[in-house]
Coordinates of all heavy atoms in Angstrom, one line a residue:
M1 N 8.1 7.2 14.2 CA 7.4 6.2 13.4 C 7.9 4.8 13.7 O 9.1 4.6 13.8 CB 7.7 6.6 11.9 CG 7.1 5.5 11.0 SD 7.6 5.9 9.3 CE 6.1 5.8 8.6
K2 N 7.0 4.0 13.9 CA 7.4 2.6 14.2 C 7.0 1.7 13.0 O 5.9 1.7 12.5 CB 6.6 2.1 15.5 CG 7.1 0.9 16.1 CD 6.4 0.7 17.4 CE 7.0 -0.5 18.1 NZ 6.3 -0.7 19.4
L3 N 7.9 0.9 12.5 CA 7.7 -0.1 11.4 C 7.3 -1.5 12.0 O 7.9 -1.8 13.0 CB 9.0 -0.2 10.5 CG 9.5 1.1 9.9 CD1 10.7 0.8 9.2 CD2 8.4 1.6 8.9
S4 N 6.4 -2.1 11.3 CA 6.1 -3.5 11.7 C 7.2 -4.4 11.3 O 8.1 -4.1 10.4 CB 4.8 -3.9 11.0 OG 5.0 -4.0 9.6
R5 N 7.2 -5.6 11.8 CA 8.2 -6.6 11.5 C 8.2 -6.9 10.0 O 9.3 -6.9 9.4 CB 8.1 -7.8 12.4 CG 9.2 -8.8 12.3 CD 9.1 -9.9 13.3 NE 8.9 -9.4 14.7 CZ 9.9 -9.1 15.5 NH1 11.1 -9.0 15.1 NH2 9.6 -8.6 16.7
P6 N 7.1 -7.2 9.4 CA 7.1 -7.6 8.0 C 7.6 -6.4 7.1 O 8.3 -6.7 6.1 CB 5.6 -7.9 7.7 CG 5.0 -8.2 9.0 CD 5.7 -7.4 10.0
V7 N 7.2 -5.2 7.4 CA 7.7 -4.0 6.6 C 9.2 -3.9 6.8 O 9.9 -3.7 5.8 CB 6.9 -2.8 7.1 CG1 7.5 -1.6 6.4 CG2 5.4 -2.8 6.7
S8 N 9.7 -4.0 8.0 CA 11.1 -3.9 8.2 C 11.9 -5.0 7.4 O 12.9 -4.7 6.8 CB 11.4 -4.1 9.7 OG 10.9 -3.0 10.4
W9 N 11.4 -6.2 7.4 CA 12.0 -7.3 6.7 C 12.0 -7.0 5.2 O 12.9 -7.4 4.5 CB 11.4 -8.7 7.0 CG 12.0 -9.3 8.3 CD1 11.4 -9.5 9.5 CD2 13.4 -9.8 8.4 NE1 12.3 -10.0 10.3 CE2 13.5 -10.3 9.7 CE3 14.4 -9.9 7.5 CZ2 14.7 -10.8 10.2 CZ3 15.6 -10.4 8.0 CH2 15.7 -10.9 9.3
F10 N 10.8 -6.5 4.7 CA 10.7 -6.2 3.3 C 11.7 -5.2 2.9 O 12.3 -5.3 1.9 CB 9.2 -5.8 3.0 CG 9.1 -5.3 1.6 CD1 9.0 -6.2 0.6 CD2 9.1 -3.9 1.3 CE1 8.8 -5.8 -0.8 CE2 9.0 -3.5 0.0 CZ 8.9 -4.4 -1.1
L11 N 11.9 -4.1 3.7 CA 12.8 -3.0 3.3 C 14.2 -3.6 3.3 O 15.0 -3.2 2.4 CB 12.6 -1.9 4.3 CG 11.3 -1.1 4.3 CD1 11.2 0.0 5.3 CD2 11.1 -0.5 2.9
L12 N 14.6 -4.4 4.3 CA 15.9 -4.9 4.4 C 16.1 -5.9 3.2 O 17.2 -5.8 2.5 CB 16.1 -5.7 5.7 CG 17.5 -6.4 5.9 CD1 18.6 -5.3 5.9 CD2 17.5 -7.1 7.2
A13 N 15.1 -6.7 2.8 CA 15.3 -7.6 1.7 C 15.4 -6.8 0.4 O 16.1 -7.2 -0.5 CB 14.1 -8.6 1.6
F14 N 14.7 -5.7 0.3 CA 14.7 -4.9 -0.9 C 16.2 -4.3 -1.1 O 16.7 -4.2 -2.2 CB 13.7 -3.7 -0.8 CG 13.8 -2.8 -2.0 CD1 13.1 -3.0 -3.2 CD2 14.6 -1.6 -1.9 CE1 13.2 -2.2 -4.3 CE2 14.7 -0.8 -2.9 CZ 14.0 -1.0 -4.1
G15 N 16.7 -3.9 0.0 CA 18.1 -3.3 0.0 C 19.1 -4.3 -0.5 O 20.0 -4.1 -1.4
V16 N 19.0 -5.5 0.1 CA 19.9 -6.6 -0.3 C 19.7 -7.0 -1.8 O 20.6 -7.1 -2.6 CB 19.7 -7.8 0.6 CG1 20.5 -9.0 0.1 CG2 20.2 -7.5 2.0
W17 N 18.4 -7.1 -2.1 CA 18.1 -7.5 -3.5 C 18.6 -6.5 -4.5 O 19.2 -6.8 -5.6 CB 16.6 -7.6 -3.7 CG 16.1 -7.9 -5.0 CD1 15.5 -7.1 -5.9 CD2 16.2 -9.2 -5.7 NE1 15.2 -7.7 -7.1 CE2 15.6 -9.0 -7.0 CE3 16.7 -10.5 -5.4 CZ2 15.6 -10.1 -7.9 CZ3 16.7 -11.4 -6.3 CH2 16.1 -11.3 -7.5
S18 N 18.5 -5.2 -4.2 CA 19.0 -4.1 -5.0 C 20.5 -4.3 -5.3 O 21.0 -4.1 -6.4 CB 18.7 -2.8 -4.4 OG 19.1 -1.7 -5.2
W19 N 21.2 -4.5 -4.2 CA 22.7 -4.7 -4.3 C 23.0 -5.9 -5.2 O 23.9 -5.8 -6.0 CB 23.3 -4.8 -3.0 CG 23.7 -3.4 -2.5 CD1 23.0 -2.6 -1.8 CD2 25.0 -2.8 -2.7 NE1 23.7 -1.4 -1.5 CE2 24.9 -1.5 -2.1 CE3 26.1 -3.2 -3.3 CZ2 25.9 -0.6 -2.1 CZ3 27.2 -2.3 -3.3 CH2 27.1 -1.0 -2.7
V20 N 22.4 -7.0 -4.9 CA 22.6 -8.3 -5.7 C 22.4 -8.0 -7.2 O 23.2 -8.3 -8.1 CB 21.8 -9.4 -5.2 CG1 21.9 -10.6 -6.1 CG2 22.3 -9.8 -3.8
I21 N 21.3 -7.5 -7.5 CA 20.9 -7.3 -8.9 C 21.8 -6.3 -9.6 O 22.2 -6.5 -10.7 CB 19.4 -6.7 -9.0 CG1 18.4 -7.9 -8.6 CG2 19.1 -6.2 -10.4 CD1 18.5 -9.1 -9.4
W22 N 22.0 -5.1 -9.0 CA 22.9 -4.1 -9.7 C 24.4 -4.4 -9.7 O 25.0 -4.0 -10.7 CB 22.6 -2.7 -9.0 CG 21.2 -2.2 -9.5 CD1 20.0 -2.3 -8.8 CD2 20.9 -1.7 -10.8 NE1 19.0 -1.8 -9.6 CE2 19.5 -1.4 -10.8 CE3 21.7 -1.4 -11.9 CZ2 18.9 -0.8 -11.9 CZ3 21.1 -0.8 -13.0 CH2 19.7 -0.5 -13.0
V23 N 24.9 -5.2 -8.7 CA 26.3 -5.6 -8.8 C 26.4 -6.5 -10.0 O 27.4 -6.4 -10.8 CB 26.8 -6.3 -7.5 CG1 28.0 -7.0 -7.7 CG2 26.9 -5.2 -6.4
T24 N 25.5 -7.5 -10.2 CA 25.5 -8.3 -11.3 C 25.4 -7.6 -12.6 O 26.1 -7.8 -13.6 CB 24.4 -9.3 -11.2 OG1 24.5 -10.1 -10.0 CG2 24.4 -10.4 -12.4
F25 N 24.5 -6.6 -12.7 CA 24.4 -5.8 -13.9 C 25.6 -5.0 -14.2 O 26.1 -5.0 -15.4 CB 23.2 -4.8 -13.7 CG 22.9 -4.0 -14.9 CD1 22.2 -4.5 -16.0 CD2 23.5 -2.7 -15.0 CE1 22.0 -3.7 -17.1 CE2 23.2 -2.0 -16.1 CZ 22.5 -2.5 -17.2
V26 N 26.3 -4.4 -13.2 CA 27.5 -3.7 -13.5 C 28.6 -4.5 -13.9 O 29.4 -4.2 -14.9 CB 27.9 -2.8 -12.2 CG1 29.3 -2.2 -12.4 CG2 26.9 -1.7 -12.0
K27 N 28.7 -5.8 -13.4 CA 29.7 -6.7 -13.9 C 29.5 -7.0 -15.3 O 30.5 -7.1 -16.1 CB 29.7 -8.0 -13.0 CG 30.3 -7.8 -11.7 CD 30.2 -9.2 -11.0 CE 30.8 -9.1 -9.5 NZ 30.6 -10.4 -8.8
N28 N 28.3 -7.3 -15.7 CA 27.9 -7.6 -17.1 C 28.1 -6.4 -18.0 O 28.5 -6.5 -19.1 CB 26.5 -8.1 -17.2 CG 26.3 -9.5 -16.6 OD1 27.2 -10.2 -16.5 ND2 25.1 -9.7 -16.2
L29 N 27.8 -5.2 -17.5 CA 28.0 -4.0 -18.3 C 29.5 -3.8 -18.6 O 29.9 -3.5 -19.8 CB 27.5 -2.8 -17.5 CG 27.5 -1.4 -18.1 CD1 26.6 -1.4 -19.4 CD2 27.1 -0.3 -17.2
V30 N 30.4 -4.0 -17.6 CA 31.8 -3.8 -17.8 C 32.4 -4.8 -18.8 O 33.3 -4.5 -19.6 CB 32.6 -3.9 -16.4 CG1 34.0 -4.0 -16.6 CG2 32.2 -2.6 -15.6
K31 N 31.8 -6.0 -18.8 CA 32.3 -7.1 -19.7 C 31.6 -7.1 -21.0 O 31.8 -8.0 -21.8 CB 32.0 -8.5 -19.0 CG 33.0 -8.7 -17.8 CD 32.8 -10.2 -17.4 CE 31.6 -10.4 -16.6 NZ 31.5 -11.7 -16.0
D32 N 30.8 -6.1 -21.3 CA 30.0 -6.0 -22.5 C 30.8 -6.1 -23.8 O 31.8 -5.4 -23.9 CB 29.2 -4.7 -22.6 CG 28.3 -4.6 -23.8 OD1 27.6 -5.5 -24.1 OD2 28.6 -3.6 -24.5
S33 N 30.5 -7.0 -24.7 CA 31.2 -7.2 -25.9 C 30.4 -6.9 -27.1 O 30.8 -7.0 -28.2 CB 31.8 -8.6 -26.0 OG 30.7 -9.5 -26.0
S34 N 29.1 -6.4 -26.9 CA 28.2 -6.1 -28.0 C 28.5 -4.8 -28.7 O 28.0 -4.5 -29.7 CB 26.7 -6.2 -27.6 OG 26.5 -5.1 -26.7
G35 N 29.3 -3.9 -28.0 CA 29.6 -2.6 -28.5 C 28.6 -1.5 -28.0 O 28.8 -0.4 -28.4
Q36 N 27.7 -1.9 -27.2 CA 26.8 -0.9 -26.6 C 27.5 -0.1 -25.5 O 27.3 1.1 -25.5 CB 25.5 -1.5 -26.1 CG 24.5 -1.9 -27.1 CD 23.3 -2.5 -26.5 OE1 23.3 -3.1 -25.4 NE2 22.1 -2.2 -27.1
A37 N 28.2 -0.7 -24.7 CA 28.8 0.0 -23.5 C 30.1 0.6 -23.8 O 30.5 1.6 -23.3 CB 29.0 -1.0 -22.4
F38 N 30.8 0.0 -24.8 CA 32.2 0.5 -25.1 C 32.3 0.6 -26.7 O 31.9 -0.3 -27.4 CB 33.3 -0.4 -24.5 CG 33.3 -0.4 -23.1 CD1 32.7 -1.4 -22.4 CD2 33.9 0.7 -22.4 CE1 32.7 -1.4 -21.0 CE2 33.9 0.7 -21.0 CZ 33.3 -0.4 -20.3
D39 N 32.9 1.7 -27.1 CA 33.1 1.9 -28.6 C 34.7 2.1 -28.7 O 35.2 3.2 -28.3 CB 32.4 3.0 -29.1 CG 32.6 3.2 -30.6 OD1 32.8 2.2 -31.3 OD2 32.4 4.4 -31.1
D40 N 35.4 1.1 -29.2 CA 36.9 1.1 -29.3 C 37.5 1.4 -28.0 O 38.5 2.1 -27.8 CB 37.3 2.2 -30.3 CG 36.9 1.9 -31.8 OD1 36.9 0.7 -32.1 OD2 36.7 2.8 -32.5
G41 N 37.0 0.8 -27.0 CA 37.6 0.8 -25.7 C 37.1 2.0 -24.8 O 37.5 2.1 -23.7
H42 N 36.3 2.9 -25.4 CA 35.9 4.1 -24.7 C 34.4 4.0 -24.3 O 33.6 3.4 -25.1 CB 36.0 5.4 -25.6 CG 37.4 5.6 -26.0 ND1 38.4 6.1 -25.1 CD2 38.0 5.4 -27.2 CE1 39.5 6.2 -25.8 NE2 39.3 5.8 -27.1
P43 N 34.1 4.4 -23.1 CA 32.7 4.2 -22.6 C 31.7 5.1 -23.5 O 32.1 6.2 -23.9 CB 32.7 4.7 -21.2 CG 34.1 4.8 -20.8 CD 34.9 4.9 -22.1
T44 N 30.5 4.5 -23.7 CA 29.5 5.2 -24.5 C 28.5 5.8 -23.6 O 28.6 5.7 -22.4 CB 28.8 4.2 -25.4 OG1 28.2 3.3 -24.6 CG2 29.8 3.5 -26.4
A45 N 27.6 6.6 -24.1 CA 26.5 7.2 -23.3 C 25.7 6.1 -22.7 O 25.2 6.3 -21.5 CB 25.7 8.1 -24.3
F46 N 25.5 5.0 -23.4 CA 24.8 3.8 -22.8 C 25.4 3.4 -21.5 O 24.7 3.2 -20.5 CB 24.8 2.7 -23.8 CG 24.1 1.4 -23.3 CD1 22.7 1.2 -23.5 CD2 24.8 0.4 -22.7 CE1 22.1 0.1 -23.1 CE2 24.3 -0.7 -22.3 CZ 22.9 -0.9 -22.5
F47 N 26.7 3.3 -21.5 CA 27.5 2.9 -20.3 C 27.3 3.9 -19.2 O 27.0 3.5 -18.1 CB 29.0 2.8 -20.7 CG 29.8 2.5 -19.4 CD1 30.0 1.2 -19.0 CD2 30.5 3.6 -18.7 CE1 30.8 1.0 -17.9 CE2 31.3 3.3 -17.7 CZ 31.4 2.0 -17.2
W48 N 27.4 5.2 -19.5 CA 27.3 6.2 -18.4 C 25.9 6.3 -17.8 O 25.7 6.4 -16.6 CB 27.8 7.6 -18.9 CG 29.3 7.6 -19.2 CD1 29.9 7.7 -20.4 CD2 30.3 7.4 -18.2 NE1 31.3 7.6 -20.2 CE2 31.5 7.4 -18.9 CE3 30.3 7.2 -16.8 CZ2 32.8 7.3 -18.2 CZ3 31.5 7.1 -16.2 CH2 32.7 7.1 -16.9
V49 N 24.9 6.2 -18.7 CA 23.5 6.2 -18.2 C 23.3 5.0 -17.3 O 22.7 5.2 -16.2 CB 22.5 6.3 -19.4 CG1 21.1 6.0 -18.9 CG2 22.6 7.6 -20.1
H50 N 23.7 3.9 -17.7 CA 23.4 2.7 -16.9 C 24.3 2.6 -15.6 O 23.8 2.1 -14.6 CB 23.5 1.4 -17.8 CG 22.4 1.3 -18.7 ND1 22.3 1.9 -19.9 CD2 21.2 0.6 -18.6 CE1 21.2 1.7 -20.5 NE2 20.4 0.9 -19.7
L51 N 25.5 3.1 -15.7 CA 26.3 3.2 -14.5 C 25.7 4.2 -13.5 O 25.6 3.9 -12.3 CB 27.7 3.7 -14.9 CG 28.7 3.7 -13.7 CD1 28.9 2.3 -13.1 CD2 30.0 4.2 -14.1
T52 N 25.1 5.3 -14.0 CA 24.4 6.3 -13.1 C 23.2 5.6 -12.5 O 23.0 5.8 -11.2 CB 24.0 7.5 -13.9 OG1 25.2 8.1 -14.5 CG2 23.3 8.5 -13.0
L53 N 22.4 4.8 -13.2 CA 21.3 4.1 -12.7 C 21.7 3.2 -11.6 O 21.1 3.0 -10.5 CB 20.6 3.4 -13.8 CG 19.7 4.2 -14.8 CD1 19.3 3.3 -15.9 CD2 18.6 4.8 -14.0
A54 N 22.8 2.5 -11.8 CA 23.3 1.5 -10.9 C 23.8 2.2 -9.6 O 23.5 1.8 -8.5 CB 24.5 0.7 -11.4
V55 N 24.5 3.3 -9.7 CA 24.9 4.0 -8.5 C 23.8 4.6 -7.7 O 23.8 4.4 -6.5 CB 25.9 5.2 -8.9 CG1 26.2 6.1 -7.7 CG2 27.2 4.6 -9.4
V56 N 22.8 5.2 -8.3 CA 21.6 5.6 -7.7 C 20.9 4.5 -7.0 O 20.5 4.6 -5.8 CB 20.6 6.3 -8.7 CG1 19.3 6.7 -8.0 CG2 21.3 7.6 -9.1
S57 N 20.8 3.3 -7.7 CA 20.2 2.1 -7.0 C 21.0 1.6 -5.8 O 20.4 1.1 -4.9 CB 20.0 1.1 -8.1 OG 19.0 1.5 -9.0
F58 N 22.3 1.7 -5.9 CA 23.1 1.3 -4.8 C 22.8 2.2 -3.6 O 22.6 1.7 -2.4 CB 24.6 1.4 -5.0 CG 25.1 0.4 -6.0 CD1 26.1 0.7 -6.9 CD2 24.7 -0.9 -6.1 CE1 26.7 -0.2 -7.8 CE2 25.1 -1.8 -7.0 CZ 26.1 -1.5 -7.8
V59 N 22.7 3.5 -3.8 CA 22.5 4.4 -2.7 C 21.0 4.2 -2.1 O 20.9 4.1 -0.9 CB 22.6 5.9 -3.2 CG1 22.1 6.9 -2.2 CG2 24.1 6.1 -3.6
L60 N 20.1 4.1 -3.0 CA 18.7 3.9 -2.5 C 18.6 2.5 -1.8 O 17.9 2.4 -0.8 CB 17.7 4.0 -3.7 CG 17.5 5.4 -4.3 CD1 16.6 5.3 -5.5 CD2 17.0 6.3 -3.3
G61 N 19.2 1.5 -2.4 CA 19.2 0.2 -1.7 C 19.8 0.2 -0.4 O 19.3 -0.4 0.6
T62 N 20.9 1.0 -0.2 CA 21.5 1.1 1.1 C 20.7 1.8 2.1 O 20.5 1.4 3.2 CB 22.9 1.8 0.9 OG1 23.7 1.0 0.0 CG2 23.6 1.9 2.2
V63 N 20.1 2.9 1.6 CA 19.2 3.7 2.5 C 18.0 2.9 2.9 O 17.7 2.9 4.2 CB 18.9 5.1 1.9 CG1 17.8 5.8 2.7 CG2 20.1 5.9 1.7
I64 N 17.3 2.3 2.0 CA 16.1 1.6 2.3 C 16.4 0.3 3.2 O 15.7 0.1 4.1 CB 15.4 1.2 0.9 CG1 14.8 2.5 0.3 CG2 14.3 0.2 1.2 CD1 14.3 2.3 -1.1
G65 N 17.5 -0.4 2.8 CA 17.9 -1.5 3.7 C 18.3 -1.0 5.0 O 18.0 -1.7 6.1
G66 N 18.9 0.1 5.2 CA 19.3 0.6 6.5 C 18.0 1.0 7.3 O 18.0 0.7 8.5
I67 N 17.0 1.5 6.7 CA 15.8 1.8 7.4 C 15.1 0.5 7.9 O 14.7 0.4 9.0 CB 14.8 2.6 6.5 CG1 15.3 4.0 6.2 CG2 13.4 2.6 7.1 CD1 14.6 4.7 5.1
G68 N 15.1 -0.5 7.0 CA 14.6 -1.8 7.5 C 15.4 -2.4 8.6 O 14.8 -2.9 9.5
L69 N 16.7 -2.3 8.6 CA 17.6 -2.8 9.7 C 17.3 -2.1 10.9 O 17.2 -2.6 12.0 CB 19.0 -2.7 9.2 CG 20.0 -3.3 10.2 CD1 19.8 -4.8 10.4 CD2 21.4 -3.1 9.7
R70 N 17.2 -0.7 10.8 CA 16.9 0.1 12.1 C 15.5 -0.3 12.6 O 15.3 -0.3 13.9 CB 16.9 1.5 11.7 CG 18.3 2.1 11.5 CD 18.4 3.5 11.2 NE 17.9 4.3 12.3 CZ 17.8 5.6 12.4 NH1 17.9 6.3 11.2 NH2 17.4 6.2 13.4
G71 N 14.5 -0.5 11.7 CA 13.2 -1.0 12.2 C 13.3 -2.3 12.9 O 12.6 -2.4 14.0
L72 N 14.1 -3.2 12.4 CA 14.2 -4.5 13.1 C 14.9 -4.4 14.5 O 14.5 -5.0 15.4 CB 14.9 -5.6 12.2 CG 14.2 -6.0 11.0 CD1 15.1 -6.8 10.1 CD2 13.0 -6.9 11.4
R73 N 15.9 -3.6 14.5 CA 16.6 -3.4 15.8 C 15.7 -2.7 16.8 O 15.8 -3.0 18.0 CB 17.9 -2.5 15.6 CG 19.0 -3.3 14.9 CD 20.2 -2.4 14.7 NE 21.3 -3.1 14.1 CZ 22.4 -2.6 13.7 NH1 22.5 -1.3 13.7 NH2 23.3 -3.3 13.1
A74 N 14.8 -1.8 16.4 CA 14.0 -1.1 17.3 C 12.9 -2.1 17.8 O 12.6 -2.0 19.0 CB 13.3 0.1 16.6
L75 N 12.5 -3.0 16.9 CA 11.5 -3.9 17.4 C 12.1 -4.9 18.4 O 11.4 -5.4 19.3 CB 10.9 -4.7 16.2 CG 9.9 -4.0 15.3 CD1 9.7 -4.7 14.0 CD2 8.6 -3.7 16.0
R76 N 13.4 -5.2 18.2 CA 14.1 -6.2 19.1 C 14.2 -5.5 20.5 O 14.1 -6.2 21.5 CB 15.4 -6.6 18.6 CG 16.1 -7.7 19.4 CD 17.4 -8.2 18.8 NE 17.6 -8.0 17.4 CZ 18.8 -7.7 16.9 NH1 19.9 -7.6 17.7 NH2 19.0 -7.5 15.6
R77 N 14.5 -4.2 20.5 CA 14.7 -3.5 21.8 C 13.4 -3.4 22.6 O 13.4 -3.4 23.8 CB 15.2 -2.1 21.5 CG 16.7 -2.1 21.3 CD 17.2 -0.6 21.4 NE 16.6 0.2 20.4 CZ 17.1 0.5 19.2 NH1 18.3 0.0 18.8 NH2 16.5 1.3 18.4
T78 N 12.3 -3.3 21.8 CA 11.0 -3.1 22.5 C 10.3 -4.5 22.9 O 9.4 -4.5 23.7 CB 10.0 -2.3 21.7 OG1 9.8 -3.0 20.4 CG2 10.5 -0.9 21.4
S79 N 10.8 -5.5 22.3 CA 10.2 -6.8 22.7 C 10.7 -7.4 24.0 O 11.8 -7.2 24.4 CB 10.6 -7.9 21.5 OG 10.0 -7.5 20.4

């Protein structure tokens, strides 16, 4: 399968965007002072659910960004 240049760039940008957004979210989650993420210093279900979402998004962002990067490299080799 051959990806076009715009699709490859979109996939790469999506991967980077996913990492930027979720790293910021996890930092804010860890620093949470509202009581949603931690109850007396112990992680709550809210924390674990959102941490799981972040980890899945890191994995998907890495895979999707990697596909975009491979598409761009393949286009460079054929040009």
Side-chain angles (χ1 to χ4, degrees):
M1 173 189 228
K2 195 172 185 181
L3 298 174
S4 68
R5 188 172 310 280
V7 170
S8 295
W9 275 110
F10 174 79
L11 293 175
L12 181 60
F14 177 86
V16 171
W17 177 255
S18 180
W19 270 86
V20 169
I21 291 301
W22 285 100
V23 165
T24 303
F25 181 81
V26 169
K27 285 180 182 178
N28 291 335
L29 183 65
V30 169
K31 290 190 280 186
D32 179 56
S33 61
S34 70
Q36 285 185 324
F38 297 98
D39 185 25
D40 292 329
H42 300 289
T44 62
F46 177 89
F47 174 83
W48 291 114
V49 166
H50 286 84
L51 184 63
T52 302
L53 287 171
V55 169
V56 169
S57 293
F58 290 146
V59 171
L60 290 175
T62 301
V63 170
I64 291 169
I67 292 169
L69 185 61
R70 288 180 67 186
L72 288 172
R73 286 182 178 168
L75 285 168
R76 190 177 335 145
R77 280 193 300 265
T78 60
S79 294

